[in-house]
Amino acid sequence: MAYKPQYYPGNTSPAKNRRKHMSNDLEKMRDVSDEDLTAILGHRAPGSDYPSTHPPLSEMGEPDDPVREVVEPTPGAAAGDRVRYVQFADSMYNAPATPYFRSYHAAINFRGVDPGTLSGREVNEMRERDLEEFSKRVCETEITDWGLAGMRGCTVHGHSLRLQEDGTMFDMLDRRRLEGGSIVMDKDQVGVPIDRKVNLGKPISEAEAAKRTTMYRVDNVPFRSDKEVVEHVQRVWELRTRYGFQPKA
Amino acid sequence: MAKTASVTDKPIQIRVFPKRLLLPETAEKILNEIDHVKGVIRMLINGKNLPRKVTFGPGTGSDVNHPGRIIIHVGGCAFELHVVVGEILVEVEDESAVEELKKACERALPFSFEFKRGHFIKRRPTLTDYGKYGFKSKTDESINLEDERILGLVDPHAKVETNLCMVKAEDSNT
Protein backbone atom coordinates (compact mmCIF):
# COMPACT_ATOMS: atom_id res chain seq x y z
CA MET A 1 0.00 0.00 0.00
CA ALA A 2 1.36 3.39 -0.98
CA TYR A 3 2.23 5.75 1.82
CA LYS A 4 -0.29 8.49 2.34
CA PRO A 5 0.87 11.47 4.38
CA GLN A 6 -1.37 12.36 7.28
CA TYR A 7 -0.08 15.94 7.66
CA TYR A 8 -2.00 16.99 10.73
CA PRO A 9 -4.26 15.41 13.37
CA GLY A 10 -7.71 16.51 14.51
CA ASN A 11 -11.34 16.55 13.46
CA THR A 12 -12.27 20.20 13.88
CA SER A 13 -12.52 22.59 10.92
CA PRO A 14 -9.16 24.34 11.61
CA ALA A 15 -7.47 20.91 11.70
CA LYS A 16 -9.06 19.95 8.39
CA ASN A 17 -8.06 23.27 6.87
CA ARG A 18 -4.52 22.82 8.14
CA ARG A 19 -4.37 19.48 6.34
CA LYS A 20 -5.65 21.15 3.18
CA HIS A 21 -3.03 23.85 3.32
CA MET A 22 -0.19 21.44 4.02
CA SER A 23 -1.23 19.04 1.28
CA ASN A 24 -1.86 21.83 -1.26
CA ASP A 25 -5.39 20.50 -1.74
CA LEU A 26 -6.70 24.04 -2.14
CA GLU A 27 -9.82 25.41 -3.74
CA LYS A 28 -9.24 27.98 -6.46
CA MET A 29 -11.13 31.14 -5.60
CA ARG A 30 -10.11 33.68 -8.25
CA ASP A 31 -7.99 34.31 -11.33
CA VAL A 32 -4.96 36.57 -11.24
CA SER A 33 -3.26 37.02 -14.60
CA ASP A 34 0.50 36.55 -14.93
CA GLU A 35 1.01 40.22 -15.83
CA ASP A 36 -1.02 41.43 -12.84
CA LEU A 37 0.88 39.13 -10.56
CA THR A 38 4.23 40.35 -11.86
CA ALA A 39 3.09 43.94 -11.37
CA ILE A 40 2.06 43.49 -7.73
CA LEU A 41 5.21 41.52 -6.93
CA GLY A 42 7.18 44.51 -8.21
CA HIS A 43 10.43 42.70 -8.99
CA ARG A 44 10.43 43.28 -12.75
CA ALA A 45 8.25 45.09 -15.31
CA PRO A 46 5.43 42.91 -16.65
CA GLY A 47 6.43 41.37 -19.98
CA SER A 48 10.16 41.99 -19.53
CA ASP A 49 12.79 39.24 -19.50
CA TYR A 50 13.88 37.65 -16.29
CA PRO A 51 17.17 39.24 -15.20
CA SER A 52 19.73 36.57 -14.38
CA THR A 53 22.39 36.27 -11.77
CA HIS A 54 24.39 33.56 -13.55
CA PRO A 55 24.33 31.85 -16.97
CA PRO A 56 21.93 28.92 -17.45
CA LEU A 57 23.24 25.82 -15.68
CA SER A 58 23.39 23.93 -18.99
CA GLU A 59 25.96 26.46 -20.26
CA MET A 60 28.03 26.61 -17.10
CA GLY A 61 29.75 23.24 -17.35
CA GLU A 62 29.11 22.10 -13.84
CA PRO A 63 31.59 19.78 -12.13
CA ASP A 64 30.78 16.09 -11.79
CA ASP A 65 28.67 15.64 -8.72
CA PRO A 66 26.32 12.72 -7.96
CA VAL A 67 23.92 15.00 -6.07
CA ARG A 68 23.63 17.35 -9.05
CA GLU A 69 22.74 14.35 -11.18
CA VAL A 70 20.06 13.17 -8.78
CA VAL A 71 18.44 16.56 -8.07
CA GLU A 72 16.88 18.21 -11.04
CA PRO A 73 17.19 22.01 -10.79
CA THR A 74 14.02 24.08 -10.62
CA PRO A 75 13.21 26.08 -13.77
CA GLY A 76 14.39 29.28 -12.09
CA ALA A 77 17.69 27.76 -10.95
CA ALA A 78 18.27 26.17 -14.37
CA ALA A 79 17.81 29.55 -16.04
CA GLY A 80 19.97 31.42 -13.53
CA ASP A 81 17.23 33.71 -12.20
CA ARG A 82 17.72 36.09 -9.33
CA VAL A 83 16.45 35.11 -5.90
CA ARG A 84 13.41 37.21 -5.06
CA TYR A 85 10.79 37.23 -2.32
CA VAL A 86 7.10 37.45 -1.61
CA GLN A 87 5.70 38.20 1.81
CA PHE A 88 2.20 37.92 3.22
CA ALA A 89 0.56 39.13 6.41
CA ASP A 90 -2.58 37.42 7.70
CA SER A 91 -5.08 38.94 10.09
CA MET A 92 -5.62 37.26 13.44
CA TYR A 93 -9.35 37.67 12.83
CA ASN A 94 -9.88 34.33 11.12
CA ALA A 95 -7.71 34.80 8.06
CA PRO A 96 -7.48 31.49 6.20
CA ALA A 97 -3.73 31.04 6.70
CA THR A 98 -1.21 31.68 9.42
CA PRO A 99 2.54 32.19 8.93
CA TYR A 100 3.30 28.64 10.06
CA PHE A 101 0.88 27.02 7.65
CA ARG A 102 2.04 29.20 4.80
CA SER A 103 5.54 27.92 5.51
CA TYR A 104 4.38 24.31 5.71
CA HIS A 105 2.54 24.79 2.41
CA ALA A 106 5.61 26.27 0.73
CA ALA A 107 8.18 23.86 2.13
CA ILE A 108 6.16 20.69 1.54
CA ASN A 109 4.84 21.47 -1.93
CA PHE A 110 7.50 23.60 -3.65
CA ARG A 111 11.19 23.09 -4.28
CA GLY A 112 13.99 25.60 -3.89
CA VAL A 113 12.05 27.69 -1.41
CA ASP A 114 13.33 29.38 1.71
CA PRO A 115 10.39 30.17 3.99
CA GLY A 116 10.80 32.65 6.79
CA THR A 117 8.18 32.37 9.50
CA LEU A 118 7.53 35.35 11.75
CA SER A 119 4.76 36.16 14.18
CA GLY A 120 2.71 38.31 11.85
CA ARG A 121 4.13 37.68 8.40
CA GLU A 122 5.64 34.99 6.29
CA VAL A 123 8.25 35.51 3.63
CA ASN A 124 9.33 33.09 0.91
CA GLU A 125 12.48 33.46 -1.11
CA MET A 126 13.13 31.56 -4.31
CA ARG A 127 14.25 31.98 -7.92
CA GLU A 128 12.13 34.51 -9.74
CA ARG A 129 10.13 32.29 -12.07
CA ASP A 130 9.65 29.71 -9.32
CA LEU A 131 8.45 32.55 -7.12
CA GLU A 132 5.87 33.61 -9.68
CA GLU A 133 4.53 30.06 -9.97
CA PHE A 134 4.35 29.80 -6.20
CA SER A 135 2.78 33.25 -5.77
CA LYS A 136 0.16 32.52 -8.37
CA ARG A 137 -0.88 29.40 -6.50
CA VAL A 138 -1.05 31.28 -3.22
CA CYS A 139 -2.85 34.33 -4.65
CA GLU A 140 -5.52 32.39 -6.49
CA THR A 141 -6.46 29.79 -3.92
CA GLU A 142 -8.25 29.77 -0.60
CA ILE A 143 -4.99 30.08 1.32
CA THR A 144 -5.28 33.85 0.75
CA ASP A 145 -8.36 35.94 1.32
CA TRP A 146 -7.43 39.42 0.19
CA GLY A 147 -9.67 41.10 2.72
CA LEU A 148 -8.02 39.37 5.66
CA ALA A 149 -4.53 39.02 4.22
CA GLY A 150 -2.19 41.16 2.22
CA MET A 151 0.91 40.88 0.07
CA ARG A 152 3.26 43.15 1.96
CA GLY A 153 6.96 43.35 1.25
CA CYS A 154 7.41 45.92 4.00
CA THR A 155 5.29 47.81 6.54
CA VAL A 156 3.26 44.71 7.30
CA HIS A 157 1.59 46.21 10.36
CA GLY A 158 -2.03 45.12 10.68
CA HIS A 159 -2.26 41.42 11.43
CA SER A 160 -2.97 41.90 15.12
CA LEU A 161 -5.19 44.97 14.80
CA ARG A 162 -8.95 45.06 14.85
CA LEU A 163 -10.41 44.89 11.37
CA GLN A 164 -11.50 48.09 9.66
CA GLU A 165 -15.15 48.99 9.50
CA ASP A 166 -15.43 47.49 6.02
CA GLY A 167 -14.16 44.13 7.34
CA THR A 168 -10.70 44.32 5.77
CA MET A 169 -7.33 44.25 7.49
CA PHE A 170 -5.67 47.63 8.06
CA ASP A 171 -2.96 48.50 5.56
CA MET A 172 -0.87 51.52 6.48
CA LEU A 173 0.38 51.95 2.89
CA ASP A 174 -3.05 51.44 1.32
CA ARG A 175 -1.75 48.89 -1.19
CA ARG A 176 -5.07 47.21 -1.49
CA ARG A 177 -8.55 48.32 -0.55
CA LEU A 178 -12.20 47.45 -0.88
CA GLU A 179 -13.77 49.15 -3.90
CA GLY A 180 -17.27 48.30 -5.06
CA GLY A 181 -17.32 45.04 -3.14
CA SER A 182 -14.01 43.81 -4.55
CA ILE A 183 -10.46 44.11 -3.33
CA VAL A 184 -8.27 46.09 -5.71
CA MET A 185 -4.53 46.59 -5.51
CA ASP A 186 -2.90 49.54 -7.25
CA LYS A 187 0.53 49.40 -5.63
CA ASP A 188 3.13 46.69 -5.55
CA GLN A 189 4.00 44.85 -2.37
CA VAL A 190 6.35 47.59 -1.15
CA GLY A 191 3.92 50.45 -1.77
CA VAL A 192 5.17 51.75 -5.13
CA PRO A 193 2.23 52.70 -7.39
CA ILE A 194 1.76 50.46 -10.44
CA ASP A 195 0.16 51.31 -13.77
CA ARG A 196 -2.97 49.20 -13.25
CA LYS A 197 -5.67 48.30 -10.78
CA VAL A 198 -5.47 44.60 -10.08
CA ASN A 199 -8.81 43.08 -9.17
CA LEU A 200 -8.31 40.45 -6.49
CA GLY A 201 -11.93 39.40 -6.20
CA LYS A 202 -14.50 39.61 -3.46
CA PRO A 203 -13.44 39.06 0.13
CA ILE A 204 -15.09 36.17 1.93
CA SER A 205 -17.80 36.83 4.49
CA GLU A 206 -17.20 36.69 8.22
CA ALA A 207 -19.06 33.36 8.51
CA GLU A 208 -17.13 31.88 5.61
CA ALA A 209 -13.83 33.06 7.10
CA ALA A 210 -14.71 31.29 10.36
CA LYS A 211 -15.17 28.08 8.38
CA ARG A 212 -12.02 28.39 6.27
CA THR A 213 -9.55 29.50 8.91
CA THR A 214 -6.63 27.45 10.19
CA MET A 215 -6.72 29.33 13.50
CA TYR A 216 -8.11 28.06 16.73
CA ARG A 217 -9.87 30.88 18.52
CA VAL A 218 -11.99 30.94 21.65
CA ASP A 219 -14.68 32.83 19.74
CA ASN A 220 -14.71 30.30 16.90
CA VAL A 221 -13.32 26.78 17.39
CA PRO A 222 -11.27 26.67 20.61
CA PHE A 223 -7.98 24.82 20.56
CA ARG A 224 -8.93 22.70 23.57
CA SER A 225 -12.00 21.39 21.81
CA ASP A 226 -9.80 19.21 19.59
CA LYS A 227 -8.43 16.52 21.88
CA GLU A 228 -6.39 14.83 19.19
CA VAL A 229 -4.55 18.06 18.36
CA VAL A 230 -3.89 18.79 22.04
CA GLU A 231 -2.51 15.28 22.48
CA HIS A 232 -0.31 15.70 19.39
CA VAL A 233 1.04 19.07 20.51
CA GLN A 234 1.77 17.75 23.99
CA ARG A 235 3.60 14.76 22.51
CA VAL A 236 5.73 17.01 20.28
CA TRP A 237 6.61 19.20 23.25
CA GLU A 238 7.48 16.23 25.42
CA LEU A 239 9.72 14.69 22.79
CA ARG A 240 11.52 17.91 21.95
CA THR A 241 12.09 18.58 25.65
CA ARG A 242 13.59 15.12 26.13
CA TYR A 243 15.67 15.51 22.99
CA GLY A 244 16.93 18.89 24.11
CA PHE A 245 17.80 17.67 27.59
CA GLN A 246 21.55 17.38 27.91
CA PRO A 247 22.65 15.84 31.22
CA LYS A 248 26.01 17.26 32.19
CA ALA A 249 28.59 14.94 33.64
CA MET B 1 -1.74 70.10 46.40
CA ALA B 2 -0.84 70.26 42.73
CA LYS B 3 -3.34 71.72 40.33
CA THR B 4 -5.25 69.23 38.23
CA ALA B 5 -5.34 69.49 34.47
CA SER B 6 -9.12 69.61 34.53
CA VAL B 7 -11.50 72.36 35.32
CA THR B 8 -13.31 70.41 38.01
CA ASP B 9 -12.16 68.56 41.06
CA LYS B 10 -13.39 65.15 40.06
CA PRO B 11 -13.42 64.76 36.31
CA ILE B 12 -14.33 61.34 34.96
CA GLN B 13 -12.35 59.77 32.16
CA ILE B 14 -13.92 57.29 29.76
CA ARG B 15 -12.34 55.12 27.10
CA VAL B 16 -14.50 54.34 24.07
CA PHE B 17 -13.01 51.37 22.26
CA PRO B 18 -14.98 50.33 19.16
CA LYS B 19 -14.97 46.77 17.83
CA ARG B 20 -13.62 47.97 14.48
CA LEU B 21 -11.19 50.64 13.33
CA LEU B 22 -13.31 53.59 12.24
CA LEU B 23 -13.68 55.01 8.75
CA PRO B 24 -13.25 58.80 8.66
CA GLU B 25 -17.00 59.35 8.18
CA THR B 26 -17.87 57.36 11.29
CA ALA B 27 -15.06 59.01 13.22
CA GLU B 28 -16.42 62.44 12.27
CA LYS B 29 -19.91 61.38 13.27
CA ILE B 30 -18.98 60.03 16.70
CA LEU B 31 -16.69 62.95 17.51
CA ASN B 32 -19.47 65.38 16.72
CA GLU B 33 -21.94 63.38 18.78
CA ILE B 34 -19.52 63.45 21.71
CA ASP B 35 -18.91 67.15 21.17
CA HIS B 36 -22.64 67.77 21.59
CA VAL B 37 -22.73 66.08 24.99
CA LYS B 38 -22.91 68.64 27.76
CA GLY B 39 -20.00 68.45 30.18
CA VAL B 40 -17.27 67.17 27.89
CA ILE B 41 -14.00 68.81 28.86
CA ARG B 42 -11.59 67.29 26.37
CA MET B 43 -11.14 64.26 24.19
CA LEU B 44 -8.23 62.43 22.65
CA ILE B 45 -8.24 60.17 19.62
CA ASN B 46 -5.77 57.36 19.25
CA GLY B 47 -5.07 55.00 16.40
CA LYS B 48 -2.56 53.73 13.93
CA ASN B 49 -0.54 56.26 12.00
CA LEU B 50 -1.40 57.05 8.39
CA PRO B 51 1.87 58.26 6.86
CA ARG B 52 2.03 60.69 3.95
CA LYS B 53 4.95 58.87 2.35
CA VAL B 54 6.40 55.38 2.44
CA THR B 55 9.12 55.55 5.05
CA PHE B 56 10.68 52.13 4.79
CA GLY B 57 11.82 49.65 2.16
CA PRO B 58 12.47 49.97 -1.57
CA GLY B 59 9.42 52.21 -2.02
CA THR B 60 10.71 54.88 0.40
CA GLY B 61 9.52 58.32 -0.63
CA SER B 62 6.47 57.21 -2.64
CA ASP B 63 3.19 58.95 -1.81
CA VAL B 64 0.74 56.84 0.17
CA ASN B 65 -2.48 58.87 -0.38
CA HIS B 66 -4.35 56.86 2.21
CA PRO B 67 -8.13 57.43 1.89
CA GLY B 68 -8.37 57.62 5.69
CA ARG B 69 -6.17 60.70 5.83
CA ILE B 70 -8.75 63.37 5.12
CA ILE B 71 -10.00 66.56 6.67
CA ILE B 72 -12.93 66.15 9.04
CA HIS B 73 -15.02 68.77 10.83
CA VAL B 74 -15.73 68.53 14.52
CA GLY B 75 -17.60 71.26 16.34
CA GLY B 76 -16.91 73.75 13.57
CA CYS B 77 -13.20 73.03 13.63
CA ALA B 78 -11.55 71.34 10.66
CA PHE B 79 -8.51 69.12 11.04
CA GLU B 80 -6.75 66.40 9.14
CA LEU B 81 -6.90 62.88 10.49
CA HIS B 82 -3.40 61.49 10.92
CA VAL B 83 -4.57 58.16 12.28
CA VAL B 84 -7.20 55.55 11.68
CA VAL B 85 -9.36 56.11 14.75
CA GLY B 86 -9.27 53.12 17.07
CA GLU B 87 -9.90 54.62 20.48
CA ILE B 88 -11.43 57.79 21.88
CA LEU B 89 -10.61 58.99 25.38
CA VAL B 90 -13.07 61.47 26.81
CA GLU B 91 -12.97 63.52 29.99
CA VAL B 92 -16.28 64.71 31.33
CA GLU B 93 -17.15 66.96 34.23
CA ASP B 94 -19.46 64.74 36.23
CA GLU B 95 -21.59 61.63 36.45
CA SER B 96 -24.53 63.13 34.56
CA ALA B 97 -22.49 63.37 31.35
CA VAL B 98 -21.44 59.72 31.37
CA GLU B 99 -24.81 58.29 30.40
CA GLU B 100 -25.25 60.94 27.71
CA LEU B 101 -21.83 60.06 26.36
CA LYS B 102 -22.74 56.40 26.15
CA LYS B 103 -25.94 57.23 24.28
CA ALA B 104 -23.98 59.43 21.88
CA CYS B 105 -21.64 56.54 21.12
CA GLU B 106 -24.56 54.18 20.59
CA ARG B 107 -26.08 56.62 18.12
CA ALA B 108 -22.88 57.03 16.13
CA LEU B 109 -21.40 53.54 16.08
CA PRO B 110 -23.02 50.81 14.02
CA PHE B 111 -21.26 48.09 16.03
CA SER B 112 -20.42 47.28 19.63
CA PHE B 113 -17.83 49.12 21.67
CA GLU B 114 -16.14 49.00 25.06
CA PHE B 115 -17.03 51.81 27.42
CA LYS B 116 -14.63 51.88 30.33
CA ARG B 117 -14.03 54.30 33.14
CA GLY B 118 -10.49 54.82 34.35
CA HIS B 119 -7.44 57.05 34.29
CA PHE B 120 -6.37 57.47 30.66
CA ILE B 121 -5.21 61.08 30.22
CA LYS B 122 -2.76 62.68 32.60
CA ARG B 123 -4.26 65.08 35.09
CA ARG B 124 -1.12 66.55 36.56
CA PRO B 125 2.04 67.83 34.88
CA THR B 126 5.03 65.49 34.95
CA LEU B 127 8.74 66.19 34.88
CA THR B 128 8.71 66.13 31.06
CA ASP B 129 5.99 68.78 30.99
CA TYR B 130 7.95 70.99 33.37
CA GLY B 131 10.98 70.43 31.13
CA LYS B 132 9.01 71.63 28.13
CA TYR B 133 6.95 74.48 29.58
CA GLY B 134 8.86 75.48 32.75
CA PHE B 135 7.57 77.24 35.85
CA LYS B 136 5.38 80.30 35.72
CA SER B 137 7.89 82.40 37.64
CA LYS B 138 10.55 82.16 40.28
CA THR B 139 7.97 82.47 42.99
CA ASP B 140 5.15 80.45 41.34
CA GLU B 141 6.18 76.88 40.69
CA SER B 142 3.03 75.88 38.85
CA ILE B 143 3.47 74.92 35.20
CA ASN B 144 3.78 77.73 32.70
CA LEU B 145 0.63 77.00 30.72
CA GLU B 146 -2.42 79.13 30.21
CA ASP B 147 -4.70 76.14 29.90
CA GLU B 148 -3.63 72.98 31.68
CA ARG B 149 -6.20 70.93 29.83
CA ILE B 150 -3.76 70.41 26.98
CA LEU B 151 -1.57 68.29 29.28
CA GLY B 152 -1.61 64.69 28.18
CA LEU B 153 -3.29 65.45 24.85
CA VAL B 154 -0.11 65.90 22.86
CA ASP B 155 3.19 64.05 23.05
CA PRO B 156 5.79 66.37 24.66
CA HIS B 157 7.99 66.05 21.56
CA ALA B 158 5.18 66.74 19.06
CA LYS B 159 4.00 70.08 17.77
CA VAL B 160 0.88 71.26 19.55
CA GLU B 161 -0.51 73.25 16.60
CA THR B 162 -0.86 70.26 14.28
CA ASN B 163 -2.21 67.87 16.89
CA LEU B 164 -4.62 69.90 18.95
CA CYS B 165 -8.00 71.31 18.05
CA MET B 166 -9.62 73.89 20.31
CA VAL B 167 -13.38 73.91 20.02
CA LYS B 168 -15.15 76.91 21.46
CA ALA B 169 -18.45 76.16 23.13
CA GLU B 170 -21.25 78.73 23.29
CA ASP B 171 -20.86 79.48 26.96
CA SER B 172 -17.19 78.81 27.62
CA ASN B 173 -13.92 77.80 26.04
CA THR B 174 -13.56 74.02 25.90
Side-chain angles (χ1 to χ4, degrees):
Chain A
M1 198 174 82
Y3 169 70
K4 197 178 171 194
Q6 295 176 35
Y7 293 113
Y8 203 80
N11 293 310
T12 49
S13 64
K16 288 174 186 164
N17 292 332
R18 287 177 179 203
R19 283 196 284 275
K20 284 168 83 177
H21 285 209
M22 291 168 86
S23 63
N24 201 17
D25 175 23
L26 299 166
E27 187 185 334
K28 188 173 172 182
M29 308 280 282
R30 60 194 79 84
D31 283 306
V32 181
S33 73
D34 291 346
E35 293 226 328
D36 286 349
L37 182 71
T38 309
I40 59 175
L41 283 171
H43 295 308
R44 66 185 176 98
S48 63
D49 289 341
Y50 291 98
S52 61
T53 192
H54 61 74
L57 291 180
S58 57
E59 296 172 14
M60 281 182 65
E62 291 186 286
D64 285 339
D65 182 350
V67 176
R68 288 176 204 249
E69 286 168 19
V70 174
V71 181
E72 188 190 338
T74 62
D81 289 352
R82 305 175 300 179
V83 173
R84 285 293 175 263
Y85 73 96
V86 63
Q87 182 166 257
F88 285 90
D90 295 286
S91 171
M92 285 169 63
Y93 286 89
N94 288 338
T98 60
Y100 256 97
F101 286 89
R102 281 190 184 275
S103 284
Y104 281 133
H105 170 253
I108 294 171
N109 301 294
F110 293 84
R111 296 196 304 134
V113 54
D114 179 8
T117 322
L118 297 105
S119 57
R121 58 197 165 106
E122 199 267 346
V123 60
N124 283 299
E125 289 183 8
M126 57 193 99
R127 301 285 189 143
E128 199 161 349
R129 66 191 78 194
D130 304 339
L131 179 82
E132 288 181 7
E133 184 198 340
F134 166 78
S135 305
K136 198 168 168 67
R137 179 75 181 153
V138 171
C139 290
E140 288 186 337
T141 54
E142 61 176 319
I143 200 166
T144 302
D145 170 57
W146 288 92
L148 298 171
M151 186 192 281
R152 300 180 181 186
C154 63
T155 320
V156 295
H157 193 46
H159 92 283
S160 61
L161 301 183
R162 285 162 286 165
L163 298 176
Q164 292 183 149
E165 240 182 288
D166 56 11
T168 59
M169 180 172 67
F170 173 70
D171 184 356
M172 192 177 271
L173 300 187
D174 191 41
R175 281 161 280 217
R176 58 106 182 87
R177 74 189 77 83
L178 192 65
E179 269 185 20
S182 293
I183 299 286
V184 295
M185 192 162 175
D186 59 3
K187 294 178 186 172
D188 68 11
Q189 61 172 334
V190 293
V192 176
I194 53 178
D195 59 355
R196 63 190 74 201
K197 272 192 175 183
V198 178
N199 190 333
L200 297 165
K202 291 185 177 175
I204 55 177
S205 67
E206 222 172 306
E208 188 68 14
K211 282 184 204 163
R212 287 185 185 271
T213 186
T214 51
M215 291 177 207
Y216 287 101
R217 279 180 64 103
V218 173
D219 59 3
N220 186 22
V221 180
F223 174 67
R224 284 167 198 271
S225 66
D226 201 325
K227 284 185 181 166
E228 201 183 356
V229 173
V230 173
E231 199 179 308
H232 162 76
V233 170
Q234 285 175 342
R235 180 170 160 71
V236 169
W237 275 90
E238 187 185 338
L239 292 181
R240 72 189 290 185
T241 305
R242 283 188 186 179
Y243 173 75
F245 179 60
Q246 295 177 350
K248 302 286 180 189
Chain B
M1 180 72 189
K3 288 180 182 176
T4 62
S6 310
V7 290
T8 56
D9 292 336
K10 289 181 182 174
I12 298 166
Q13 293 185 356
I14 306 283
R15 186 177 77 161
V16 182
F17 195 84
K19 189 184 173 189
R20 295 277 173 98
L21 300 176
L22 304 185
L23 291 174
E25 300 78 39
T26 317
E28 187 173 29
K29 191 176 172 191
I30 188 172
L31 292 174
N32 275 307
E33 288 282 359
I34 294 173
D35 181 51
H36 290 143
V37 175
K38 202 177 173 189
V40 171
I41 301 165
R42 53 184 182 164
M43 52 184 161
L44 175 63
I45 54 175
N46 281 333
K48 294 297 162 185
N49 184 31
L50 300 174
R52 273 186 203 282
K53 290 190 180 291
V54 179
T55 54
F56 188 79
T60 301
S62 307
D63 288 328
V64 174
N65 295 324
H66 200 290
R69 197 181 168 110
I70 58 167
I71 291 172
I72 62 169
H73 297 80
V74 179
C77 180
F79 63 93
E80 189 181 32
L81 272 179
H82 295 182
V83 294
V84 55
V85 179
E87 166 183 86
I88 303 166
L89 307 176
V90 189
E91 190 173 76
V92 294
E93 283 172 357
D94 50 37
E95 200 69 42
S96 63
V98 175
E99 201 49 40
E100 284 301 309
L101 179 64
K102 192 168 187 181
K103 283 180 188 164
C105 296
E106 282 166 359
R107 280 195 300 274
L109 293 177
F111 35 76
S112 60
F113 58 90
E114 268 182 29
F115 192 83
K116 278 193 175 173
R117 192 187 285 213
H119 184 181
F120 304 112
I121 316 172
K122 73 167 87 161
R123 294 181 162 109
R124 288 185 294 183
T126 59
L127 188 66
T128 322
D129 297 312
Y130 280 109
K132 183 172 184 182
Y133 301 107
F135 298 135
K136 271 199 173 132
S137 68
K138 282 184 179 175
T139 51
D140 184 0
E141 290 192 351
S142 58
I143 193 157
N144 187 22
L145 265 176
E146 275 185 26
D147 188 348
E148 289 187 25
R149 287 174 299 180
I150 72 164
L151 285 175
L153 296 186
V154 182
D155 186 277
H157 301 293
K159 286 180 183 170
V160 172
E161 305 80 52
T162 52
N163 288 290
L164 194 68
C165 179
M166 305 286 274
V167 181
K168 287 192 177 181
E170 288 165 7
D171 50 350
S172 62
N173 290 344
T174 54

